[in-house]
Amino acid sequence: QVPADRWLSGQLILAKSAANHNGVMVAWFLPPETAKKLLIVGGESIEDLHITFAYVAETTIGIDKAKLAETVAQFALERNVLEGKVNGSGWFEPTEEREGVLYAAVEVDGLEKFRIDLIKTLQQAGFSPLNADKAFIPHITLVYQSERGNYKAPIVDLKIDNITLTLAEKRSIYKLAGMGIDSFSVSDDL
């Protein structure tokens, strides 16, 4: 069922889709019940609302998928659940490559360290996350548009209890377990 705020003048406003994404990233995708609270007409879809921790590559070509999956799985096993909230919104100015970004501002204790540890883990495994040295502004992209507008995101509780490895259109979810396990293997059918 489509939420009422997704309809405008009797027409369904379709959100931008994740279709045709070819990149590789590690992120946390919001559960649908949480994502519904942040929907904007014409914005990102429920299934696409996420916090990006590491953008690993522009394409899956040349990526050792099994090694990357094992690295992310092991990292998840050793990390605890993080809790926080969306507290307001922000704006990234348009660039030559994209429209402006209206986003939900995220406040989660320990999130920056979590991201730094993930980047280091990926680098130690031989991967080179893009923009790893740039400042981390925890956010959830809500919509790409030319002007900021006056939208203010509601306060929404967040519980980051998993991370997702996205390889183009395929998503693999790994629960945060807070355990120190010495070995873990994943299937080669990624």
Side-chain angles (χ1 to χ4, degrees):
Q1 181 178 358
V2 177
D5 64 351
R6 303 289 291 159
W7 290 86
L8 185 63
S9 303
Q11 297 288 327
L12 176 61
I13 304 298
L14 297 175
K16 293 183 180 179
S17 169
N20 301 320
H21 283 200
N22 295 318
V24 179
M25 74 172 173
V26 180
W28 174 66
F29 285 82
L30 282 65
E33 63 277 2
T34 303
K36 286 178 186 176
K37 298 173 185 175
L38 296 171
L39 282 180
I40 293 179
V41 172
E44 297 296 293
S45 64
I46 288 173
E47 61 273 2
D48 288 337
L49 292 177
H50 68 277
I51 300 170
T52 303
F53 299 126
Y55 196 66
V56 181
E58 296 282 341
T59 177
T60 59
I61 296 171
I63 295 287
D64 183 337
K65 296 172 189 165
K67 181 177 181 182
L68 180 57
E70 188 168 344
T71 300
V72 172
Q74 183 65 41
F75 179 85
L77 282 173
E78 297 169 353
R79 296 303 178 278
N80 292 316
V81 171
L82 300 172
E83 295 188 33
K85 62 186 173 184
V86 165
N87 192 12
S89 56
W91 175 253
F92 295 130
E93 291 293 330
T95 67
E96 290 182 16
E97 292 85 32
R98 63 156 172 73
E99 289 187 89
V101 175
L102 178 63
Y103 65 84
V106 173
E107 294 178 1
V108 176
D109 287 339
L111 193 59
E112 187 166 347
K113 181 178 180 346
F114 180 92
R115 179 184 178 265
I116 289 168
D117 290 348
L118 174 62
I119 296 289
K120 287 179 182 176
T121 298
L122 291 168
Q123 290 171 334
Q124 289 168 353
F127 300 98
S128 300
L130 307 173
N131 301 326
D133 57 343
K134 287 196 173 187
F136 178 53
I137 301 172
H139 70 280
I140 301 163
T141 297
L142 300 175
V143 64
Y144 293 91
Q145 58 191 26
S146 58
E147 296 182 16
R148 184 184 191 317
N150 60 5
Y151 176 81
K152 181 172 166 121
I155 295 174
V156 177
D157 290 331
L158 302 175
K159 182 177 182 179
I160 300 172
D161 59 358
N162 65 69
I163 54 177
T164 300
L165 172 60
T166 301
L167 296 159
E169 297 292 326
K170 182 177 173 143
R171 294 180 182 172
S172 300
I173 301 170
Y174 303 95
K175 292 283 184 195
L176 302 182
M179 302 165 38
I181 296 180
D182 293 329
S183 64
F184 184 82
S185 61
V186 294
S187 67
D188 292 331
D189 63 342
L190 293 175

